[in-house]
Amino acid sequence: MQQTDPVRRTSEIEELTNLYVIHPVSGWLTRHFARMGVAPNVVSLCGMAAGVLAGVVYHHVGDPRFAVAGFLLMIIWHVMDGADGQLARLTGKQSQTGKILDGICDYVTFVSVYVGLALALSALYGAWVWALVVLAGLCHAVQSAAYERQRQDYNFWGWARGAAPVARAKVRSGRRMGDLLFGLYNRLEALTAVCGEAGLNQRLAGLLAAHPDCAPVIRTAYREAFAPLLRGWSILSANYRTIGIFLCVFCRVPLAYFMFEIMGFTAILMMLLARQRVCDAAFMAGLDGLDADLPCPADRRRDQAAFVVEAKAPVAP
């Protein structure tokens, strides 16, 4: 399994177009931004500006040339969205405010595009289009939260990066906008929790605490069990929505995108949650089969190898 580096994201949680197209370009820009002293939040805002312009351009649904322009502007947003995080990690300027701003920029981009399309479509078909677009937006928010939840869990349990699921679930008190947004997003993520997920998280936390010397073995088993399933979750990434919007607008059937957002992506989410439940249960059974008092000195490699085989969870077909 490919190791991570301190600047780029964990490779397994990356969608393929990000891994091989978007983020290599983002990395090239990141090095230039770092030399120029550009702040990560400025990069986020520039990306959001491109996203807002994409919404303005997509308003012209009858001209394929505007569809191409909107697609290119959204690609610029994707590149900037990758560069801001890389720049923050490279320069050591990571912050909770930056993470919240990054999330806001993502939602503002899609809200702008959805509103631009809704304005054009409501003029053609009537005000009922707004109800369709709002419903699609709500489905989008839940699907994105579910995808991000799986990515964060994998990053933490597989590579010990990011915040623990238990820590993320704690809603901070306070009336600041950042606290309110943090709490709202956590509640949205909670809607997509898989049955039995809390038990698996607690079991992993307890096992890692009891056997710190076994951590590399446990985390390897987790990565090998869940990496294939995580790649399936990537279909809910923003990249495929960007492609879907472009294709539907270019072919002059933008309503088809919103209908697929509501029915197609939601059906995919349900199937992914079902597969995740099966894999969680199988991996949990492997953990429960491990002797709670198993030591992990260097001369017990055979026991460690047996645990890896036992703890791997089969991916449901």
Short mmCIF file of all heavy atoms in Angstrom, two decimals, residues 202-229:
data_model
loop_
_atom_site.label_atom_id
_atom_site.label_comp_id
_atom_site.label_asym_id
_atom_site.label_seq_id
_atom_site.Cartn_x
_atom_site.Cartn_y
_atom_site.Cartn_z
N GLN A 202 -14.98 2.10 18.72
CA GLN A 202 -14.58 1.88 20.11
C GLN A 202 -13.66 0.67 20.23
O GLN A 202 -12.69 0.69 21.00
CB GLN A 202 -15.82 1.69 20.97
CG GLN A 202 -16.67 2.94 21.12
CD GLN A 202 -17.97 2.68 21.85
OE1 GLN A 202 -18.24 1.56 22.28
NE2 GLN A 202 -18.80 3.72 21.97
N ARG A 203 -13.95 -0.39 19.46
CA ARG A 203 -13.10 -1.59 19.51
C ARG A 203 -11.71 -1.29 19.00
O ARG A 203 -10.72 -1.73 19.58
CB ARG A 203 -13.76 -2.68 18.65
CG ARG A 203 -13.07 -4.04 18.78
CD ARG A 203 -13.37 -4.66 20.13
NE ARG A 203 -12.74 -5.97 20.26
CZ ARG A 203 -11.50 -6.17 20.73
NH1 ARG A 203 -10.78 -5.15 21.13
NH2 ARG A 203 -11.01 -7.39 20.82
N LEU A 204 -11.62 -0.55 17.90
CA LEU A 204 -10.31 -0.19 17.36
C LEU A 204 -9.53 0.70 18.33
O LEU A 204 -8.34 0.49 18.55
CB LEU A 204 -10.48 0.51 16.01
CG LEU A 204 -10.75 -0.37 14.79
CD1 LEU A 204 -11.19 0.47 13.61
CD2 LEU A 204 -9.50 -1.17 14.44
N ALA A 205 -10.22 1.69 18.90
CA ALA A 205 -9.56 2.58 19.85
C ALA A 205 -9.03 1.81 21.06
O ALA A 205 -7.90 2.02 21.50
CB ALA A 205 -10.52 3.68 20.29
N GLY A 206 -9.85 0.89 21.58
CA GLY A 206 -9.43 0.11 22.73
C GLY A 206 -8.27 -0.82 22.41
O GLY A 206 -7.33 -0.97 23.19
N LEU A 207 -8.32 -1.44 21.22
CA LEU A 207 -7.26 -2.37 20.82
C LEU A 207 -5.93 -1.64 20.62
O LEU A 207 -4.87 -2.11 21.04
CB LEU A 207 -7.68 -3.09 19.54
CG LEU A 207 -6.85 -4.31 19.13
CD1 LEU A 207 -6.95 -5.41 20.18
CD2 LEU A 207 -7.33 -4.83 17.79
N LEU A 208 -5.99 -0.47 19.97
CA LEU A 208 -4.76 0.30 19.75
C LEU A 208 -4.19 0.81 21.06
O LEU A 208 -2.96 0.88 21.23
CB LEU A 208 -5.05 1.46 18.80
CG LEU A 208 -5.30 1.08 17.34
CD1 LEU A 208 -5.88 2.25 16.56
CD2 LEU A 208 -4.01 0.61 16.68
N ALA A 209 -5.07 1.19 21.99
CA ALA A 209 -4.59 1.66 23.30
C ALA A 209 -3.97 0.53 24.11
O ALA A 209 -2.97 0.72 24.81
CB ALA A 209 -5.75 2.29 24.07
N ALA A 210 -4.57 -0.68 24.02
CA ALA A 210 -4.07 -1.82 24.80
C ALA A 210 -2.80 -2.42 24.20
O ALA A 210 -1.97 -2.96 24.93
CB ALA A 210 -5.15 -2.89 24.90
N HIS A 211 -2.65 -2.34 22.89
CA HIS A 211 -1.50 -2.95 22.22
C HIS A 211 -0.84 -1.93 21.28
O HIS A 211 -0.91 -2.06 20.06
CB HIS A 211 -1.94 -4.17 21.42
CG HIS A 211 -2.62 -5.22 22.23
ND1 HIS A 211 -1.94 -6.07 23.08
CD2 HIS A 211 -3.93 -5.55 22.35
CE1 HIS A 211 -2.80 -6.88 23.68
NE2 HIS A 211 -4.01 -6.58 23.25
N PRO A 212 -0.22 -0.90 21.82
CA PRO A 212 0.39 0.13 20.95
C PRO A 212 1.46 -0.45 20.02
O PRO A 212 1.65 0.06 18.92
CB PRO A 212 0.98 1.13 21.94
CG PRO A 212 1.10 0.38 23.23
CD PRO A 212 -0.02 -0.60 23.24
N ASP A 213 2.15 -1.52 20.46
CA ASP A 213 3.17 -2.12 19.60
C ASP A 213 2.56 -2.82 18.38
O ASP A 213 3.24 -3.07 17.39
CB ASP A 213 4.00 -3.13 20.39
CG ASP A 213 4.86 -2.47 21.46
OD1 ASP A 213 5.14 -1.26 21.30
OD2 ASP A 213 5.24 -3.14 22.43
N CYS A 214 1.27 -3.14 18.49
CA CYS A 214 0.58 -3.80 17.37
C CYS A 214 -0.02 -2.80 16.38
O CYS A 214 -0.61 -3.23 15.38
CB CYS A 214 -0.55 -4.68 17.90
SG CYS A 214 -0.01 -6.23 18.64
N ALA A 215 0.10 -1.50 16.64
CA ALA A 215 -0.56 -0.49 15.81
C ALA A 215 -0.26 -0.64 14.32
O ALA A 215 -1.18 -0.59 13.50
CB ALA A 215 -0.20 0.91 16.30
N PRO A 216 1.01 -0.83 13.91
CA PRO A 216 1.26 -0.98 12.47
C PRO A 216 0.52 -2.16 11.85
O PRO A 216 0.03 -2.08 10.73
CB PRO A 216 2.78 -1.16 12.40
CG PRO A 216 3.30 -0.53 13.65
CD PRO A 216 2.27 -0.82 14.69
N VAL A 217 0.44 -3.26 12.60
CA VAL A 217 -0.24 -4.45 12.09
C VAL A 217 -1.74 -4.20 11.97
O VAL A 217 -2.37 -4.54 10.96
CB VAL A 217 0.03 -5.65 13.02
CG1 VAL A 217 -0.74 -6.88 12.54
CG2 VAL A 217 1.51 -5.95 13.08
N ILE A 218 -2.33 -3.59 13.01
CA ILE A 218 -3.77 -3.32 13.01
C ILE A 218 -4.13 -2.35 11.89
O ILE A 218 -5.11 -2.54 11.17
CB ILE A 218 -4.20 -2.77 14.38
CG1 ILE A 218 -3.96 -3.82 15.47
CG2 ILE A 218 -5.67 -2.34 14.36
CD1 ILE A 218 -4.11 -3.27 16.88
N ARG A 219 -3.33 -1.30 11.74
CA ARG A 219 -3.63 -0.29 10.72
C ARG A 219 -3.45 -0.86 9.31
O ARG A 219 -4.20 -0.52 8.40
CB ARG A 219 -2.76 0.94 10.93
CG ARG A 219 -3.06 1.68 12.23
CD ARG A 219 -2.34 3.02 12.31
NE ARG A 219 -2.46 3.63 13.62
CZ ARG A 219 -3.55 4.27 14.06
NH1 ARG A 219 -4.60 4.38 13.28
NH2 ARG A 219 -3.58 4.79 15.28
N THR A 220 -2.46 -1.74 9.14
CA THR A 220 -2.29 -2.39 7.83
C THR A 220 -3.50 -3.24 7.49
O THR A 220 -4.00 -3.23 6.36
CB THR A 220 -1.02 -3.24 7.83
OG1 THR A 220 0.13 -2.40 8.01
CG2 THR A 220 -0.87 -4.00 6.51
N ALA A 221 -3.98 -4.00 8.50
CA ALA A 221 -5.17 -4.83 8.27
C ALA A 221 -6.37 -3.97 7.91
O ALA A 221 -7.16 -4.33 7.02
CB ALA A 221 -5.46 -5.65 9.53
N TYR A 222 -6.51 -2.83 8.57
CA TYR A 222 -7.63 -1.92 8.28
C TYR A 222 -7.53 -1.40 6.85
O TYR A 222 -8.52 -1.40 6.11
CB TYR A 222 -7.62 -0.76 9.27
CG TYR A 222 -8.80 0.16 9.13
CD1 TYR A 222 -9.96 -0.04 9.87
CD2 TYR A 222 -8.78 1.23 8.23
CE1 TYR A 222 -11.06 0.79 9.74
CE2 TYR A 222 -9.88 2.06 8.08
CZ TYR A 222 -11.01 1.84 8.84
OH TYR A 222 -12.11 2.66 8.69
N ARG A 223 -6.34 -0.98 6.44
CA ARG A 223 -6.19 -0.44 5.09
C ARG A 223 -6.50 -1.49 4.04
O ARG A 223 -7.18 -1.22 3.05
CB ARG A 223 -4.76 0.10 4.89
CG ARG A 223 -4.42 1.30 5.74
CD ARG A 223 -3.18 2.00 5.24
NE ARG A 223 -2.01 1.15 5.20
CZ ARG A 223 -1.14 1.00 6.19
NH1 ARG A 223 -1.36 1.63 7.35
NH2 ARG A 223 -0.08 0.23 6.07
N GLU A 224 -5.99 -2.70 4.24
CA GLU A 224 -6.20 -3.75 3.25
C GLU A 224 -7.67 -4.17 3.19
O GLU A 224 -8.16 -4.60 2.13
CB GLU A 224 -5.31 -4.94 3.56
CG GLU A 224 -3.82 -4.63 3.37
CD GLU A 224 -2.94 -5.82 3.66
OE1 GLU A 224 -3.48 -6.88 4.08
OE2 GLU A 224 -1.71 -5.70 3.47
N ALA A 225 -8.38 -4.03 4.31
CA ALA A 225 -9.78 -4.41 4.34
C ALA A 225 -10.68 -3.37 3.70
O ALA A 225 -11.63 -3.71 2.98
CB ALA A 225 -10.22 -4.67 5.78
N PHE A 226 -10.39 -2.08 3.93
CA PHE A 226 -11.33 -1.04 3.56
C PHE A 226 -10.93 -0.20 2.36
O PHE A 226 -11.77 0.54 1.83
CB PHE A 226 -11.58 -0.12 4.76
CG PHE A 226 -12.39 -0.76 5.85
CD1 PHE A 226 -11.78 -1.29 6.97
CD2 PHE A 226 -13.76 -0.87 5.74
CE1 PHE A 226 -12.51 -1.91 7.96
CE2 PHE A 226 -14.52 -1.47 6.73
CZ PHE A 226 -13.89 -2.00 7.85
N ALA A 227 -9.69 -0.26 1.90
CA ALA A 227 -9.28 0.55 0.76
C ALA A 227 -10.11 0.27 -0.50
O ALA A 227 -10.54 1.21 -1.18
CB ALA A 227 -7.79 0.37 0.47
N PRO A 228 -10.38 -1.01 -0.85
CA PRO A 228 -11.20 -1.24 -2.06
C PRO A 228 -12.59 -0.64 -1.96
O PRO A 228 -13.10 -0.09 -2.94
CB PRO A 228 -11.26 -2.78 -2.13
CG PRO A 228 -10.06 -3.25 -1.38
CD PRO A 228 -9.90 -2.27 -0.26
N LEU A 229 -13.20 -0.72 -0.78
CA LEU A 229 -14.53 -0.16 -0.61
C LEU A 229 -14.50 1.36 -0.68
O LEU A 229 -15.40 1.99 -1.25
CB LEU A 229 -15.12 -0.60 0.73
CG LEU A 229 -16.55 -0.13 1.04
CD1 LEU A 229 -17.52 -0.56 -0.06
CD2 LEU A 229 -16.99 -0.68 2.39
#
